[in-house]
Amino acid sequence: MDATIAKDRLHLRIEQANDQVLAVLAEVTEALFRTWQPEGIQRAPQLYQAAKAVSAKDLERIVGTSESQTDEGDYYTPEALQTETGSWLNENIA
């Protein structure tokens, strides 16, 4: 699929998504970037300046939890993520 077409489709789906689907898309996107394009994560703080503020203490807790989960193997591989999101989308369509 052409990158322009894929981006247009994603923009359309984001505009159409309800809060539940947006939450899933946000998590999927972050997981994919952490795995396949980690350099993109470094730019993220600038994109989120308008988002809800998180205290340094809360951020440390969130990061610590994420690191612990990763160390324990509690994460999705790209293949598992694709399977899981496919089942979520099928549930929402049915």
Side-chain angles (χ1 to χ4, degrees):
M1 177 184 305
D2 176 73
T4 302
I5 293 171
K7 287 178 182 180
D8 288 344
R9 183 183 294 176
L10 287 169
H11 286 282
L12 174 64
R13 295 301 178 229
I14 289 168
E15 290 301 316
Q16 293 173 332
N18 63 23
D19 289 346
Q20 181 182 11
V21 173
L22 284 173
V24 170
L25 287 173
E27 291 297 321
V28 168
T29 301
E30 291 303 309
L32 290 171
F33 265 78
R34 281 192 302 272
T35 302
W36 295 104
Q37 195 173 346
E39 68 277 7
I41 298 294
Q42 295 172 356
R43 293 188 302 266
Q46 297 152 356
L47 299 175
Y48 295 124
Q49 286 179 352
K52 178 184 148 199
V54 177
S55 71
K57 183 177 179 180
D58 286 341
L59 184 57
E60 287 177 12
R61 180 184 51 78
I62 292 166
V63 170
T65 299
S66 296
E67 288 175 342
S68 296
Q69 290 172 326
T70 302
D71 291 344
E72 295 168 5
D74 184 15
Y75 58 87
Y76 287 103
T77 63
E79 296 80 14
L81 187 60
Q82 185 174 21
T83 301
E84 184 72 14
T85 55
S87 68
W88 295 336
L89 295 174
N90 288 336
E91 290 173 7
N92 287 324
I93 292 172

